[in-house]
Every structure is written in C-alpha cells, then in structure tokens.
Amino acid sequence: MVSIGRPAPAQAAVSALYQQHWAGLVRLAVLMVDDRQAAEDVVQEAFAELYRRWPLRGPDAALAYLRTAVVNRSRSVLRRRKVARLYIPPHQEPNASAESAVVLSEERTQVQQALQGLPRRMREVLVLRYYLDLPFAEIAQILGISESSARATSSRGLAVLTERLEELR
C-alpha cells in the first residue's frame, strides 16, 4: 500500500484486512451487482474509505464497516444502472465462451438467475446469511432492519427461491 500520510499501523491493519477479506467481499459484491468489474470497484472504494476513516471505534468494527460499505455501494451501483436503463437500451450480453460455460455449472447459473430475480432486500438477506454465514443480528445491523425482519425476509426469500428453482428443474 502506498503511503499518503497515514501512520504505519493504519497501513498495516488495512493491508491485513485487504489480504484476508478482499476475495470474499468481491464475491459478495458480485452476488449483489452481477458484474465482476463493478464488484471489484465497489470493494476497492470500500477499502479506500476505510483507510481514510482509520481508526474505527474497535478492532471488529473494520470488517463490519467493510461489509456495510460493500452492500451500500452495491445498492448505489444498482440504482445507477436502473437510471441508465431509462436512457439507454438494454445491453445484449454476448454468448458465454466455452471456457465460461465449463466453469459455471448449469445449477450454479440457475441459482444465480433465481437470486437476481428476487427483490433487493430478500437477495441481500439471503446472500449475507447463506454466503457469508452471518447471524441474523449482524445482518439486521448491516441492512438497518430489525432482527425479526431479517429472519422473516430470509424465510420468505428461501421459499421464493426454492419455488423458482423447482420451476426450472
């Protein structure tokens, strides 16, 4: 990490977090925004903001801050896309290459498509719960909802996701 006037402990701490959690946070963002490049940008911006705000109130606050920042920045990306679609015709994705088809199995693609078809809040709760394996209390804190809302949304989301996957099979 390049020095821009921060003390060495801040650089070391943020660098350690980056090395340890970058890949997982990118995967989280990919599930939210369905675009690898946008996901990497979201995570990079979250780490840059964490570095600017260092130190946070406690040692565990940094990872929670990063997760919240990634979710919020992913929402912003989706909002910008929605506005852009009002002015630009939808982009036609090219057919996946043979290598991509081999890497992504049919079942995984179906799950991702069904997940993308869910309402935003349901998708966020399910990704945080079953991808990051976070407890409902932490999900509620990240999304700014009550714990019971997180539980109910998860339950409803699983039911809808299961129904959609059954239709595809």
Side-chain angles (χ1 to χ4, degrees), residues 49-60:
E49 188 62 29
L50 172 68
Y51 186 73
R52 282 190 291 275
R53 292 179 181 263
W54 195 265
L56 298 178
R57 65 186 177 278
D60 296 333

Side-chain angles (χ1 to χ4, degrees), residues 140-153:
Q141 179 186 13
I142 289 171
L143 298 179
I145 59 176
S146 68
E147 188 173 342
S148 62
S149 291
R151 288 179 188 279
T153 303

Side-chain angles (χ1 to χ4, degrees), residues 53-93:
R53 292 179 181 263
W54 195 265
L56 298 178
R57 65 186 177 278
D60 296 333
L63 184 56
Y65 175 86
L66 286 169
R67 287 178 179 151
T68 302
V70 167
V71 169
N72 289 337
R73 289 177 188 277
S74 295
R75 287 177 181 165
S76 295
V77 167
L78 294 175
R79 276 192 302 271
R80 284 191 300 271
R81 281 186 193 165
K82 185 177 180 180
V83 170
R85 275 190 228 117
L86 295 173
Y87 302 105
I88 301 172
H91 175 67
Q92 296 289 332
E93 289 289 328

